Amino acid sequence: MSTSNGGPATPEPEIGPAEIQAVIDRILAKDEAASAKGAGNRFAGPSSANDGERSSYDGDQQDLDERRALRRVAGLSTELEDVTEVEYRQLRLERVVLAGLWSEGTAEDAENSLRELSALAATAGSEVLDGIVQRRLKPDPGTFLGSGKAQELKDIVVATGADTVIVDSELSPSQRRGLEDIVKVKVIDRTALILDIFAQHAKSREGKAQVELAQLEYLLPRLRGWGDSMSRQAGGQVGGAGAGMGSRGPGETKIELDRRKIRTRMAKLRREISAMKPARETKRANRRRNEIPSVAIAGYTNAGKSSLLNRLTDAGVLVENALFATLDPTVRKAETADGLGYTLADTVGFVRSLPTQLVEAFRSTLEEIADSDLILHVVDVSHPDPEGQIAAVREVLSEVDARKVPEIIVLNKADAADPFVIERLRQREPRHIVVSARTGQGIAELLEAVSAAIPRPSVKLTLLVPYERGDVVSRLHQSDAEILTLEHVESGTRLDVMVREGLAADLEEFRQHA
């Protein structure tokens, strides 16, 4: 190359390997950012998790690291070209197309429902390629969508290369079979998808048993026989394809054997869950005997219940930007500002049209809400339809007889919400607190509301405790009693206290009557 003034050519300096790698990394980073910004479609769900959304109150989150280590890998197939590669096989990321029915409400409600289905699919580990919504008064009894729309769905599946169709409703066995015959790929419904997520995220022995029971209840009426796996009866000259004599089967088909095995397994799971129930009831009985107030955190999935529990108690419960991230209930001890103790319980999240199998299977867990003294109903105010979330949660609370429990609406994620939406909900729900579990906004106000709402000691006593009975004074300093005044006199410690009825009987010997 010549210089601009016609002088002798000057060789350009060589670029080292480090500079080349830096340029490549910068280009790749830009490509990843662009693809992340424009990836998917209008039905794309949330990312799996975002470290920036966690706070220091969430702890180390080791469970989250473990869950991420098992993520499925996009672009890799389970189909092997060479059997010697079996050591390197990876789970294939399913590519799905969504299908929904708009039979009531507005078009925006129908799209919000499909977006939620997309978030569920992403949580289950699939890649959402496209989605369709059909305006129809009621589902087609044969294919759910109708033959014309089902053919259109098939064209979308072929064009996108999808291998699964997810329908935003519960399909009957015949509807699922009819739709599969047209689209020629696997078809699952909303219920099966939610059950799959629960199966991935259940950690405790009780949670796994509850999910398996729900899956078997869903599977039982949907079993299908395939070709020769059916052990049909035949005899004489009635056997198909000239089977004739000697082809009589054993008399029970393979599908009947499978149904019997499933019923046997379901009976065993019910016995196991019943055997686990006394342990939970014993813990509740201990809290009731000690008259410890209990507060249950309930709400829609991904509303921020675990983040709120971590903020209030430093529980370190797993936090992830995904639906149904935590299933197993967590109970932690907490205290009011004036020293009154109570328990905080984080429960499984709810969702619109929560499968009845899950409500029944998790009934023992949901009883934690019905037995509480106060419900903190957490609502994601940054969601497009927070009123719909509130209605869906209250529907499930009614099913477990928890609507009689006092309720405080906690409008969470206020830092990311539209102020007009917050004001609309404040007008609608008179008993509410606006908070942000991530930033800490409104947490102090929430704690004050909890302190005012939980049952407090109701018996007022005036006591004179001898100095040699310091154990009694120490007992009154614990979290189930409230000391109003304390004075040291010649004969002992004089106290005005508020205690619960059970403790009042034990303190009768120290009581001073007016």
Side-chain angles (χ1 to χ4, degrees), residues 47-67:
S47 59
S48 61
N50 186 350
D51 291 335
E53 293 183 358
R54 300 208 307 263
S55 69
S56 59
Y57 292 87
D58 294 325
D60 295 335
Q61 294 291 307
Q62 294 179 355
D63 289 342
L64 181 58
D65 295 334
E66 177 186 348
R67 180 174 294 178

Side-chain angles (χ1 to χ4, degrees), residues 162-174:
D163 52 31
T164 306
V165 169
I166 304 178
V167 177
D168 191 19
S169 184
E170 184 167 340
L171 298 177
S172 68
S174 61

